[in-house]
Amino acid sequence: MDQSPTRASTTSPRIRAAPDAFDRLTFLGWQWGLTAILAGMAVSFLLYGYALIYWRNADMDFMVIYNALVLNDGKPQLFFDHTGYITILSVKAWFELLHRLGLLNSYSLSAIPAASDPGAFDAAMTSAVRAGRVLAFLIATGCVLIFAALLRLIVRDWRVALIATFAFAFSGGVAVHSRILRTELVAACPVIFALMILIAIGRRAGVARPLGMAAAAALCMVGLENKVQAILLIGALPVLVMPFGCAGSASVAFWRQTRSGWPAIIAAVAAVVAAWAAWPLIATGFDRALLDAALFHPLLLGRFGIYQAALLVLTAGCMIAYAVIWHVSATETLASMLAVAAGALVALLALDLAYNPGNVIAVFNPLEKMLTFADAGTNAAAGESRPSGILWLLLDGIASVLARYTFVLHSSPRPTVFLTWLIVPGIVYAWIRGEKQTAVQALVLLLAATGIDALGVRRGLKSEYFIFTDPLIILAGAILLDSLTELRFRQWTYPIAMVLFGLHIAVGQAEPIKYAFMRRGPESICEWNRHYIPLLSLPWCPAARS
């Protein structure tokens, strides 16, 4: 009897496996993928950054370069808000290096020709500004590479890390800061890197983990020294790290042995020595005469230092809670606390490299400094004895941010907006699927980004401020994508990803292209040049022509 019909009926049909979308998106591999990302950034920089006329992005370009030129003449930093300290020192050193190599003549203020000779002035300032823009691009590419390396320590799949690195490299914040000498990039990225370091070392217990904590604290201080707005991100850090522990977070045997208490003693000595060295800066930071002269007003209860102490308490409390939840020994926790203090205090000593009391009081009183250039509504709310005014401003800011996240109710030159459209349902999906810790991790990152953006709305939430929160959104998306691995086999994953890639590049490059084709002249600079760059006369301003 012919058995073929029977065999045909019992044989299971072959189901063709769906292609892996991650493989298709990262076909270049890790190294060549990173190379392609950096090449794309370089092309964008050369087309829409380096070649722009030198005064096109004068707001910040001129201010940073002016202070670097002043320092290279041996004068102190004359004036700069919030504070630009690390950026200015970097440009100063960069100009000195280029001058020694014979690549830049206009490296100091005395080397800039007088405004009465417009041709020579234009040539000198063009070379100085373009040199500064090259430094901005190098810093941005360095930040992208560091972000990629740290993300490899956080996610399991290198393809997810590469996709997230692409999102970061072509985000609205990096697109702006890779071609303009602003202060936000050097303020935000060190704090973001501190967060990523804390997440990575929190999951991998080791003997040297307190040293990683010290490095993270030092990075936070570096960010604060460059722009006081970094305090918002720093304040969120202790809470953000909490849900990222795991079974591997428990202390290793070294920290559980009683005889290993000596590292905590070393950390205590280091913290005491660092505090002794930094004490003059601390005293200056809370000097009431300097604060009054700078028109600083206490934010809480008529006293300075209250919210700073509260932040220290929050940090210590979160470290203790993390230790209890994820089984970190008391000895390691104490050593880590002391290491954090030592790291922050050592980084604080950088303020002595080009000492300026205005920088010191700004770093120690960041919120008061922010209020000196806040709008009238914010100042009025901060001056009220009741918290209702501040709460109302916060709610109004959250509503404005949510409108921007829709892109429909309020357009924004911010491609990470489209990532939130996937992150929010991704959090819900992860929770339903049982990946609750992953959902909480992504949620706290997204909430932190929303809260910081809500405060940034008071200053218009300009594209320059996206760098503080874009990495949080991208990190939330990467964590979800790394956990929900089955999504890469869905039929719609690849086409959606390609649409997002296209939108990301188009929207992220919108601001640089707009500036490149702008027809506005430099006359608006004359409204502020005498205040911010008093020793540098400009050929097109009336004072220089008279």
Side-chain angles (χ1 to χ4, degrees):
M1 180 181 293
D2 186 7
Q3 301 295 322
S4 57
T6 304
R7 289 195 299 271
S9 62
T10 58
T11 301
S12 300
R14 292 184 179 180
I15 300 176
R16 184 178 180 182
D20 191 329
F22 288 2
D23 284 339
R24 299 173 69 185
L25 293 170
T26 59
F27 63 93
L28 290 175
W30 175 254
Q31 293 183 347
W32 282 109
L34 280 181
T35 302
I37 289 171
L38 298 183
M41 292 177 64
V43 170
S44 175
F45 168 72
L46 292 173
L47 291 177
Y48 307 117
Y50 179 79
L52 294 187
I53 192 167
Y54 72 92
W55 44 257
R56 174 57 67 205
N57 299 314
D59 181 3
M60 286 295 186
D61 267 0
F62 272 20
M63 299 176 192
V64 171
I65 288 174
Y66 169 78
N67 280 277
L69 296 175
V70 166
L71 289 175
N72 278 338
D73 261 344
K75 299 182 178 68
Q77 176 183 329
L78 294 182
F79 180 79
F80 201 87
D81 276 329
H82 55 71
T83 64
Y85 181 70
I86 304 298
T87 298
I88 291 169
L89 289 184
S90 300
V91 176
K92 172 190 180 296
W94 175 246
F95 280 6
E96 283 184 319
L97 174 63
L98 294 179
H99 180 68
R100 290 177 180 176
L101 295 176
L103 300 175
L104 182 66
N105 292 325
S106 49
Y107 80 108
S108 66
L109 192 62
S110 59
I112 303 294
S116 57
D117 187 354
F121 180 89
D122 288 348
M125 285 301 294
T126 295
S127 61
V129 170
R130 287 184 173 177
R133 289 174 181 170
V134 169
L135 178 61
F137 174 74
L138 293 176
I139 292 174
T141 53
C143 288
V144 169
L145 291 174
I146 295 172
F147 182 87
L150 291 175
L151 200 56
R152 285 291 301 269
L153 300 177
I154 294 174
V155 298
R156 295 166 295 183
D157 193 331
W158 67 266
R159 298 170 300 175
V160 173
L162 187 62
I163 293 169
T165 300
F166 168 86
F168 178 64
F170 293 97
S171 62
V174 174
V176 170
H177 291 285
S178 62
R179 68 200 79 230
I180 301 176
L181 279 170
R182 289 191 63 93
T183 57
E184 290 87 359
L185 181 69
V186 182
C189 282
V191 184
I192 294 296
F193 298 155
L195 170 63
M196 298 174 77
I197 289 172
L198 292 174
I199 292 173
I201 65 176
R203 292 174 169 178
R204 299 173 178 85
V207 175
R209 185 158 57 178
L211 294 178
M213 304 282 287
L219 286 170
C220 289
M221 182 57 70
V222 168
L224 186 61
E225 287 170 339
N226 207 58
K227 193 175 182 74
V228 293
Q229 278 85 341
I231 190 63
L232 304 177
L233 193 53
I234 293 171
L237 228 59
V239 178
L240 289 178
V241 176
M242 291 291 291
F244 282 94
C246 63
S249 301
S251 294
V252 296
F254 173 85
W255 289 108
R256 296 189 179 279
Q257 298 169 357
T258 54
R259 65 177 181 275
S260 64
W262 60 265
I265 298 175
I266 294 177
V269 172
V272 170
V273 171
W276 173 80
W279 180 252
L281 292 172
I282 298 172
T284 300
F286 293 107
D287 187 309
R288 191 58 187 257
L290 291 174
L291 293 170
D292 291 340
L295 302 180
F296 281 22
H297 302 288
L299 187 65
L300 296 172
L301 305 176
R303 297 179 63 87
F304 291 99
I306 292 180
Y307 67 85
Q308 295 90 328
L311 179 58
L312 294 177
V313 172
L314 173 66
T315 302
C318 286
M319 292 181 71
I320 293 172
Y322 187 97
V324 172
I325 296 171
W326 303 111
H327 308 294
V328 180
S329 72
T331 303
E332 184 180 2
T333 301
L334 178 60
S336 297
M337 288 181 174
L338 294 167
V340 165
L345 290 167
V346 169
L348 183 66
L349 296 175
L351 291 172
D352 281 328
L353 295 175
Y355 179 78
N356 185 310
N359 290 334
V360 178
I361 62 172
V363 168
F364 276 93
N365 304 275
L367 295 184
E368 286 84 356
K369 180 62 178 178
M370 291 169 64
L371 287 176
T372 62
F373 44 85
D375 58 70
T378 304
N379 275 312
E384 292 181 0
S385 58
R386 295 175 300 175
S388 58
I390 296 178
L391 180 60
W392 174 253
L393 287 179
L394 181 60
L395 293 175
D396 179 66
I398 292 174
S400 180
V401 169
L402 294 179
R404 285 171 166 83
Y405 284 0
T406 67
F407 195 79
V408 177
L409 298 176
H410 193 300
S411 61
S412 172
R414 186 177 196 177
T416 49
V417 161
F418 304 108
L419 294 182
T420 63
W421 295 4
L422 297 179
I423 291 173
V424 173
I427 291 172
V428 176
Y429 177 70
W431 184 272
I432 295 174
R433 190 171 172 270
E435 301 279 353
K436 295 186 177 181
Q437 186 177 5
T438 299
V440 171
Q441 291 169 351
L443 180 61
V444 295
L445 290 169
L446 188 59
L447 289 177
T450 304
I452 295 171
D453 281 343
L455 296 173
V457 165
R458 305 313 306 174
R459 288 182 58 82
L461 196 57
K462 297 180 290 186
S463 56
E464 293 88 347
Y465 299 154
F466 296 164
I467 194 65
F468 285 104
T469 50
D470 274 349
L472 298 179
I473 296 172
I474 293 167
L475 188 57
I479 289 169
L480 283 172
L481 199 59
D482 190 52
S483 178
L484 306 176
T485 55
E486 76 281 2
L487 294 179
R488 69 184 192 271
F489 295 112
R490 301 291 174 87
Q491 292 182 349
W492 42 262
T493 300
Y494 182 74
I496 288 179
M498 291 305 297
V499 170
L500 284 175
F501 273 41
L503 285 173
H504 206 83
I505 293 176
V507 176
Q509 298 298 304
E511 285 293 291
I513 293 174
K514 181 183 76 173
Y515 272 95
F517 290 97
M518 190 178 290
R519 292 293 179 263
R520 185 182 64 195
E523 290 76 18
S524 61
I525 301 172
C526 302
E527 299 174 2
W528 50 259
N529 69 307
R530 303 312 303 171
H531 182 63
Y532 285 99
I533 51 176
L535 300 182
L536 184 65
S537 296
L538 305 176
W540 55 84
C541 292
R545 294 195 298 264
S546 59

